[in-house]
Amino acid sequence: MTTRSRKMKLGTLLLAVSLALAAGCSSSAGNAGLNDTNSPGSSAASTGSPSGDASPSVPASSSPEASSEPAPSSSAVVAPKGPATALRLADEKTGWAGGQGWIARTDDGGQSWNVQYSQPYEVMQIFALNERQVWATLDAGNAGGLKLVRSTDGGGSWNEVGEVPNRGYLHFRSDKEGFAGNAVTNDGGATWSALRTPESLVGDVYFHDSNNGWAVRGGKDKFEFLHSADGGKSWKTVMSRKWNGELANAIIRSTGKDDAWIELIGDTGMTQTSYSVFHTINGGGSWTPVLAKNNAGSGPAPGFEADGKGDKANEGPGNSPGALYVVNPQTAIMGGQCLACDAPNTVAETTDGGKSWKVSKQEFPGYGQQLIAATDAKHIWLLTTDATEPSVLYITSDGGENWKKVYSFAVAD
């Protein structure tokens, strides 16, 4: 072989080795870049997790420098912080809660929550017509009224629509017609007008629709239930009952034009408050006393005598009233509280219009406001609050036979 031939063969071998080395380096660089992008600890893959007992797990990172904070993305989950002040369900999986400065939504039965709206005010009430149309009232310090915000896309965006002129129970019958106390709106909450009401009322009036309204009037040694069938133009006394005490408040709920549940709050003493609940299913033609709670410290339940004489009623849960939530004319949930007890909160339910009540065997902690929501007789949510401890959500899917703690709202910083 000539010298020239040997040099040409050596050059060919060197070129082949160089090309192989270059290809190997290129392949290694590509794999390294792919692993960095998809590693669990990278900002591209980590979306964060809401705090709480049942929050979804996040894969552990192999990088010691990985951040646990949510990635800066519009889809990042932001967990609510601070005590809850409002609760409402659209169905057994979907609902909203509100607190000091936030409104959050859940789509997995309360196991995780995502803040959809942030503002500096306390949320007073939330009402969901369905999973897309929802309203909330905010305490902005307005004299007597509340700021009203609304979403028509399930909370994806919120708009301030007006101001509710009072703090009565907010509920909507359609995307246009809604009521709060004696106020009615026909444009989704942008403007409100007042309906006529009687004098000497206890608590807020309640209009189920544009015609049918209910009210409680106090008097000397008695109280009265009133009904209007013409939008407040005229009122008729549908029940009058003797009682020597003084009513502190009256709470009214209705799920049909002939249906009304009226809770009366009596005297308070020794951390005990007496209360009673009455129910009608025929437009006030007749009333059934369904709950009565007499206490040694607070005295007899409104409408009842201390010795138990008179109409009989089931004994209410707790030694003070909690939240009242009405599902339909047959189903209602009544919360009870015992502020001197280690576990202050109890829940009772009726599925026969109040003839009988079943008190849950489980008791729950929390010395603050009690919130209840339900979709039917089986699916009930209880949210307990406390001044120093986290608000905690419990749910039952069997009408209170068994309860499960599903979420603990983080304490505000």
Side-chain angles (χ1 to χ4, degrees), residues 50-56 110-111 391-394 405-409:
S51 61
D53 295 331
S55 60
Q111 296 183 66
S391 299
V392 180
L393 176 65
Y394 304 86
K405 179 181 178 181
V406 297
Y407 195 84
S408 181
F409 290 79

Side-chain angles (χ1 to χ4, degrees), residues 62-400:
S62 59
S63 170
E65 297 178 356
S67 172
S68 62
E69 294 296 323
S73 169
S74 59
S75 61
V77 174
V78 179
K81 289 186 177 182
T85 57
L87 178 68
R88 191 73 187 190
L89 298 182
D91 54 49
E92 63 187 67
K93 293 291 185 181
T94 305
W96 286 267
Q100 181 62 51
W102 55 267
I103 299 174
R105 172 172 168 149
T106 180
D107 289 291
D108 56 10
Q111 296 183 66
S112 63
W113 294 81
N114 182 31
V115 172
Q116 295 183 315
Y117 183 66
S118 299
Q119 35 68 39
Y121 310 117
E122 180 179 348
V123 178
M124 304 303 294
Q125 294 187 67
I126 298 175
F127 183 85
L129 190 64
N130 48 52
E131 65 177 13
R132 296 189 61 81
Q133 299 185 72
V134 57
W135 293 258
T137 56
L138 315 175
D139 188 355
N142 302 330
L146 296 169
K147 185 187 296 290
L148 181 67
V149 295
R150 179 186 184 183
S151 175
T152 58
D153 58 4
S157 60
W158 293 80
N159 296 300
E160 183 177 337
V161 293
E163 180 179 313
V164 182
N166 63 63
R167 300 181 178 230
Y169 181 70
L170 178 74
H171 62 109
F172 281 80
R173 291 178 50 80
S174 68
D175 61 343
K176 299 295 185 182
E177 184 185 38
F179 300 87
N182 70 329
V184 57
T185 179
N186 291 297
D187 54 16
T191 60
W192 297 78
S193 57
L195 298 168
R196 281 190 271 180
T197 59
E199 297 180 351
S200 303
L201 296 184
V202 179
D204 297 312
V205 299
Y206 185 105
F207 279 88
H208 171 263
D209 52 49
S210 58
N211 292 319
N212 292 281
W214 302 92
V216 176
R217 180 163 57 194
K220 185 177 181 180
D221 299 330
K222 70 175 183 178
F223 57 80
E224 297 176 327
F225 295 166
L226 309 176
H227 178 245
S228 175
D230 55 13
K233 296 176 183 178
S234 62
W235 291 84
K236 177 183 177 182
T237 299
V238 290
M239 191 187 85
S240 180
R241 198 175 184 93
K242 294 182 178 181
W243 190 56
N244 293 326
E246 183 176 349
L247 293 178
N249 197 9
I251 298 169
I252 307 172
R253 298 291 183 265
S254 172
T255 62
K257 68 181 186 66
D258 295 323
D259 172 61
W261 303 73
I262 298 183
E263 175 188 356
L264 302 177
I265 312 298
D267 294 330
T268 297
M270 299 172 57
T271 69
Q272 302 171 353
T273 300
S274 63
Y275 67 95
S276 57
V277 179
F278 296 81
H279 184 215
T280 182
I281 57 174
N282 56 9
S286 61
W287 292 84
T288 301
V290 297
L291 287 175
K293 190 63 179 181
N294 300 299
N295 295 303
S298 60
F304 296 84
E305 300 178 17
D307 58 8
K309 293 181 179 180
D311 291 337
K312 298 296 182 181
N314 298 279
E315 185 177 12
N319 60 23
S320 298
L324 171 65
Y325 192 95
V326 175
V327 179
N328 54 50
Q330 297 301 312
T331 305
I333 300 99
M334 182 72 209
Q337 291 190 305
C338 174
L339 298 181
C341 300
D342 292 335
N345 298 281
T346 54
V347 179
E349 181 186 26
T350 179
T351 56
D352 56 12
K355 296 176 183 177
S356 63
W357 292 76
K358 186 174 183 179
V359 180
S360 174
K361 296 178 181 179
Q362 188 169 345
E363 298 175 338
F364 309 89
Y367 293 91
Q369 179 187 18
Q370 184 189 84
L371 303 171
I372 292 176
T375 58
D376 51 45
K378 291 185 176 181
H379 298 91
I380 307 168
W381 293 22
L382 168 66
L383 210 167
T384 62
T385 66
D386 193 273
T388 58
E389 299 296 325
S391 299
V392 180
L393 176 65
Y394 304 86
I395 67 170
T396 178
S397 57
D398 56 14

